[in-house]
Amino acid sequence: MEKYECTLCGYVYDPEAGDPDNGVAPGTAFADLPEDWVCPLCGAGKDAFEVA
Amino acid sequence: MPAVQLNDHVYWVGAVDADVREFHGYQVPYGTTYNAYLVLGEKIALIDSVKAPFTKVMMENIAQVIDPAKIDYIVSNHVEPDHSGALAAAVAAAPNAPVITTANGKKGLSVYYSPDWNYQVVKTGDTLSLGNYTLQFVATPMVHWPDNMVTYLQEDGILFSNDAFGQHQATVSRFADEVGAKTSLERARDYYANIVMPFGTQVNAALKALGGLTLNTIAPSHGVIWRTPDVISALLAKYADWANNRVRDDLAVIVFDTMWGSTEMLAHRLKDEFEAQGVEVRLIDLRENHISRAMDALLEAKYICVGSPTLNRSVMPSVAAFLCYLKGLAPKGRIGQAFGSHGWSGEATGYIEQMLTEAKFELREKLVCVYRP
């Protein structure tokens, strides 16, 4: 599974780690994140992310 | 400069830095100010502070208005040291006052200063009662750090907008209407271009979040305070234009350095061609202008042409610095063009095209010459 990077702040979403603070279980692919998921660091939407 | 009243219970207690000319790589020819504000309700709030060397100035300004020990709340809209540099002095003077900030603000302030301050974390929609006045907080992440928020004084319609709507200018007056609205709007444009440009999406989110608020006064953390309705409308409209990358099809910026004048000749050839088509041209010669001076010029330009002769199989270092700065500030929806002269190997224009491609520019055919056009 690919990592994705926030183009605004540089946060990297790692599917292996997920985003447990925001209810995303480890092992969740970027594509499977809810559409309203936002960057936990800066609040950018999914469309601001690119493959790292 | 002494404390300045915005009204009978709101004061500017910041500092004017007339001498600064360099701001982390951004040249600020007119100096700047660091704006801190006091709101005197039944409870007293200090909003933001100043760069550390101006701590004494801020504390003296506060002391002109009230005993600093009487501060009940310290609001930190933004971690960056030009606004948080004197917070420690305020905390020392008013040790019981909570430091109000976002979760990311607490993270940053804890590292820069102390994890032991009495932090009170707020998020969008939270309010703080000063008795007869109410402060409302709106998080504005990545305008322009993750920690940013703005503070709204409901009863007066004053937005303490921190870096948003700021300008780097060290003026005698604290108000845009006294300095000149046109000049202040131009300085706000220069500030946006050099600081805020990468974050259009987040500026749109911030503008949307502020959409329901009546903005009688916008009090930023740098430069002058906006309090004239038509100028505030113009400023908000400009921010929306910039955030949405609305560019002028009839504006081109040509940025270049030159060794023996050939690339400069190409720059003028491009200028003549654009002008023949009715396109206004701004020429930025990097021998005479710092790279950050180009950003204000290109914020609204559809066409950005970058020229360098080939020097030691690459570009001139000034042009490399400009391209690095440009790519980071990430203007969108632009058409780029490389140009340059060379004697033999000619790598410069390829380098420029590579950087412009990485910056996601659409490319026009490059213009090259050998020795002389």
Side-chain angles (χ1 to χ4, degrees):
Chain A
M1 283 190 288
E2 284 170 314
K3 293 180 183 176
Y4 277 71
E5 184 175 357
C6 176
T7 54
L8 282 174
C9 73
Y11 169 85
V12 175
Y13 175 76
D14 179 356
E16 280 185 32
D19 179 17
D21 289 349
N22 295 294
V24 176
T28 305
F30 184 80
D32 295 333
L33 289 170
E35 281 314 301
D36 60 355
W37 180 84
V38 296
C39 173
L41 185 55
C42 78
K46 279 181 78 176
D47 56 353
F49 279 73
E50 290 179 351
V51 176
Chain B
M1 175 164 196
V4 175
Q5 275 191 295
L6 276 70
N7 60 28
D8 68 359
H9 52 273
V10 180
Y11 288 75
W12 174 92
V13 289
V16 178
D17 187 353
D19 298 327
V20 67
R21 290 292 178 272
E22 199 278 331
F23 214 100
H24 52 58
Y26 167 21
Q27 190 184 65
V28 290
Y30 311 106
T32 194
T33 71
Y34 314 106
N35 299 339
Y37 300 94
L38 269 183
V39 181
L40 310 184
E42 287 159 19
K43 299 281 186 181
I44 295 174
L46 172 68
I47 299 177
D48 289 322
S49 76
V50 298
K51 198 160 127 180
F54 295 88
T55 300
K56 191 162 169 276
V57 175
M58 182 190 83
M59 294 309 290
E60 284 173 1
N61 281 343
I62 293 171
Q64 280 179 13
V65 184
I66 48 129
D67 174 359
K70 291 189 173 155
I71 293 170
D72 295 292
Y73 300 102
I74 298 168
V75 176
S76 173
N77 284 315
H78 182 26
V79 168
E80 205 168 4
D82 51 334
H83 308 297
S84 65
L87 285 181
V91 170
N96 295 321
V99 176
I100 318 273
T101 187
T102 60
N104 280 324
K106 180 183 174 184
K107 229 185 265 180
L109 295 174
S110 295
V111 177
Y112 270 113
Y113 307 106
S114 170
D116 301 324
W117 287 355
N118 177 19
Y119 291 104
Q120 187 176 320
V121 169
V122 291
K123 54 185 189 320
T124 295
D126 286 354
T127 56
L128 176 71
S129 174
L130 303 179
N132 46 347
Y133 302 114
T134 312
L135 298 180
Q136 178 181 337
F137 306 104
V138 179
T140 54
M142 296 317 283
V143 183
H144 62 123
W145 279 19
D147 52 84
N148 274 92
M149 69 170 185
V150 298
T151 299
Y152 180 66
L153 174 50
Q154 289 179 346
E155 288 74 8
D156 294 302
I158 300 178
L159 181 72
F160 300 97
S161 62
N162 198 266
D163 280 338
F165 311 115
Q167 341 88 48
H168 283 314
Q169 53 175 345
T171 50
V172 173
S173 167
R174 302 274 48 82
F175 299 100
D177 47 288
E178 292 177 354
V179 168
K182 185 170 177 286
T183 308
S184 295
L185 286 167
E186 286 171 5
R187 304 271 153 82
R189 184 183 64 202
D190 185 68
Y191 187 91
Y192 187 99
N194 281 282
I195 300 283
V196 191
M197 187 152 49
F199 310 117
T201 309
Q202 306 309 90
V203 169
N204 275 328
L207 291 174
K208 197 175 159 200
L210 299 174
L213 305 178
T214 301
L215 302 180
N216 296 324
T217 300
I218 297 179
S221 59
H222 291 294
V224 294
I225 296 159
W226 312 89
R227 59 180 184 182
T228 317
D230 58 331
V231 177
I232 287 175
S233 299
L235 179 66
L236 291 169
K238 274 295 172 193
Y239 257 65
D241 284 346
W242 300 328
N244 291 295
N245 294 285
R246 290 186 197 119
V247 293
R248 285 175 49 193
D249 291 341
D250 62 347
L251 180 61
V253 173
I254 300 173
V255 182
F256 69 96
D257 200 341
T258 194
M259 286 171 71
W260 299 107
S262 296
T263 299
E264 185 175 22
M265 289 178 193
L266 294 178
H268 283 274
R269 180 192 287 183
L270 285 172
K271 179 173 183 282
D272 293 344
E273 286 174 7
F274 275 120
E275 286 177 348
Q277 293 163 25
V279 175
E280 183 187 333
V281 174
R282 299 195 185 141
L283 214 54
I284 307 283
D285 180 344
L286 291 176
R287 292 172 303 177
E288 305 295 339
N289 294 281
H290 186 259
I291 53 172
S292 61
R293 304 317 313 150
M295 295 306 150
D296 179 31
L298 65 76
L299 178 61
E300 297 176 352
K302 177 81 174 172
Y303 302 98
I304 300 172
C305 306
V306 183
S308 174
T310 293
L311 172 68
N312 298 330
R313 305 195 60 199
S314 186
V315 286
M316 301 278 281
S318 57
V319 177
F322 167 74
L323 288 165
C324 172
Y325 195 61
L326 176 73
K327 192 181 156 201
L329 288 168
K332 294 178 182 65
R334 312 307 171 103
I335 295 174
Q337 181 176 22
F339 65 97
S341 78
H342 63 273
W344 45 100
S345 57
E347 285 88 348
T349 48
Y351 179 93
I352 293 167
E353 285 197 326
Q354 184 194 330
M355 290 293 282
L356 293 178
T357 301
E358 286 177 18
K360 302 192 172 68
F361 282 33
E362 193 184 312
L363 291 187
R364 278 158 55 110
E365 192 181 345
K366 67 183 181 182
L367 178 62
V368 297
C369 74
V370 178
Y371 288 121
R372 270 283 190 256

